[in-house]
Amino acid sequence: MRPPLGHWLAYRFVGARIRPAYRAWARDDIEGRLFPARRALVSYAFVLVMAGVDLLSPGPGIWGPGWWWLIVAIAVVGTVVSAGPERARAVERHLALDSGELVVPGAVVSSLGPRRRLAARSALAWTTAALAVLAVTTTTSILLAPRGWSVRVEPIEGGLNVDPIGVPLASGRTAVLGALALSAAVGLLLAAIGTRRVRRTAPHAQAQPHRTTMPLSVGARTALTCGVGVAGVVAGHEITGATKLWLSAVLGPPSVLLLPLTTALLAHARRARVPPGDPEPAAVDLWRMASHGRPPAVDAPVLAPRPVHGPVPPGVVVPYPARLDLPLPPPPPPG
């Protein structure tokens, strides 16, 4: 049953908690394929209206078409990236039962369950690829960019006037290249140390019964791809002289520093043998072993909204407060 107009407006525009009588409608809305788009239209409504008015106006507009299209693109990417977290927050806010409500099969209640971690192979593969592209594009830009930023200081009455100016690259290029070389040397050293630590501590890692691992989400992959793409576009403008060298000088040394370590950890994750039925190693475990030299701690179960899969004894209600653990029957076996 669809909620009345006033309640629908409060739910859609200010996130007011849906009434129990309309939870079935809210479940269809939240689980629908277009839920992230509907949320985005509300979140970015003002920006989209301003962009439309500015693009359709006969004059030059406020910022020009290029900037508005960039803002719209950022909004679209933000919608894709936040789709999963937005849906999870909506489930917890609108579908989870309140204290004292009767628990029935299919309802959403707060219960202890496994912690979700990023799988090492997926997370490290995407991270390594992004760092490799960044390292190549930023290094190329640092080598070929004709101009960079400098600071002009002029005395004025009562103080100094400091202005950033564009200048041809000379000694500044040597300094940035030196930072790249130092980052590469330190990165290789960190990779050797981290690899040795992982090999020493991995055999002592304990089982993780309260964990599930998952690949990098579509939103995270989209964010990485778009971020690297933006850095590549800026690097191209730096190489042609359309803009001064700045972003490549900032992103180049960190990407060169981290690339050897992520490559080594990815190679270890791909060589690791996982017993049947055990979760794949998590990226956070490899990172902790490489940085601390100790086996990772065993994850404890976490409290989160979960659906009730099986039969429930008559009269079971949600405890007070509703965020307390409510033991659930196990989900049915797959197939």
Side-chain angles (χ1 to χ4, degrees), residues 122-237:
S122 173
L124 289 172
W126 278 89
T127 303
T128 302
L131 289 174
V133 175
L134 279 178
V136 171
T137 55
T138 55
T139 302
T140 304
S141 176
I142 291 169
L143 288 171
L144 302 179
R147 297 178 63 81
W149 288 103
S150 184
V151 176
R152 180 174 58 192
V153 181
E154 297 177 339
I156 59 174
E157 184 179 354
L160 296 174
N161 181 40
V162 180
D163 287 328
I165 58 173
V167 297
L169 279 176
S171 59
R173 192 192 311 275
T174 304
V176 179
L177 289 175
L180 278 180
L182 179 61
S183 299
V186 175
L188 290 172
L189 177 63
L190 293 178
I193 296 174
T195 302
R196 186 170 62 250
R197 287 177 174 177
V198 170
R199 288 175 179 173
R200 186 179 66 246
T201 56
H204 305 287
Q206 304 180 59
Q208 298 282 356
H210 304 297
R211 169 190 289 181
T212 59
T213 53
M214 57 182 182
L216 205 64
S217 66
V218 174
R221 296 197 297 267
T222 303
L224 268 179
T225 304
C226 293
V228 172
V230 170
V233 171
V234 174
H237 282 72

Side-chain angles (χ1 to χ4, degrees), residues 6-215:
H7 196 61
W8 177 86
L9 291 173
Y11 162 81
R12 185 68 73 197
F13 288 94
V14 299
R17 182 173 169 84
I18 202 79
R19 294 177 183 174
Y22 310 118
R23 275 205 193 110
W25 174 87
R27 181 188 290 269
D28 292 338
D29 177 64
I30 294 170
E31 294 178 353
R33 185 174 298 177
L34 297 179
F35 174 75
R38 290 190 288 267
R39 297 282 295 185
L41 287 175
V42 174
S43 301
Y44 300 109
F46 177 75
V47 174
L48 295 176
V49 169
M50 290 296 296
V53 171
D54 198 45
L55 291 172
L56 296 175
S57 62
I62 302 175
W63 285 353
W67 282 106
W68 281 120
W69 285 120
L70 177 61
I71 293 173
V72 172
I74 292 173
V76 172
V77 173
T79 300
V80 176
V81 171
S82 62
E86 282 282 356
R87 203 186 300 270
R89 284 192 292 267
V91 168
E92 183 174 7
R93 178 167 182 79
H94 300 290
L95 302 187
L97 299 184
D98 287 324
S99 301
E101 287 194 80
L102 191 66
V103 179
V104 296
V108 177
V109 299
S110 180
S111 178
L112 287 174
R115 180 184 294 272
R116 304 179 70 186
R117 297 285 194 183
L118 283 177
R121 296 178 185 176
S122 173
L124 289 172
W126 278 89
T127 303
T128 302
L131 289 174
V133 175
L134 279 178
V136 171
T137 55
T138 55
T139 302
T140 304
S141 176
I142 291 169
L143 288 171
L144 302 179
R147 297 178 63 81
W149 288 103
S150 184
V151 176
R152 180 174 58 192
V153 181
E154 297 177 339
I156 59 174
E157 184 179 354
L160 296 174
N161 181 40
V162 180
D163 287 328
I165 58 173
V167 297
L169 279 176
S171 59
R173 192 192 311 275
T174 304
V176 179
L177 289 175
L180 278 180
L182 179 61
S183 299
V186 175
L188 290 172
L189 177 63
L190 293 178
I193 296 174
T195 302
R196 186 170 62 250
R197 287 177 174 177
V198 170
R199 288 175 179 173
R200 186 179 66 246
T201 56
H204 305 287
Q206 304 180 59
Q208 298 282 356
H210 304 297
R211 169 190 289 181
T212 59
T213 53
M214 57 182 182

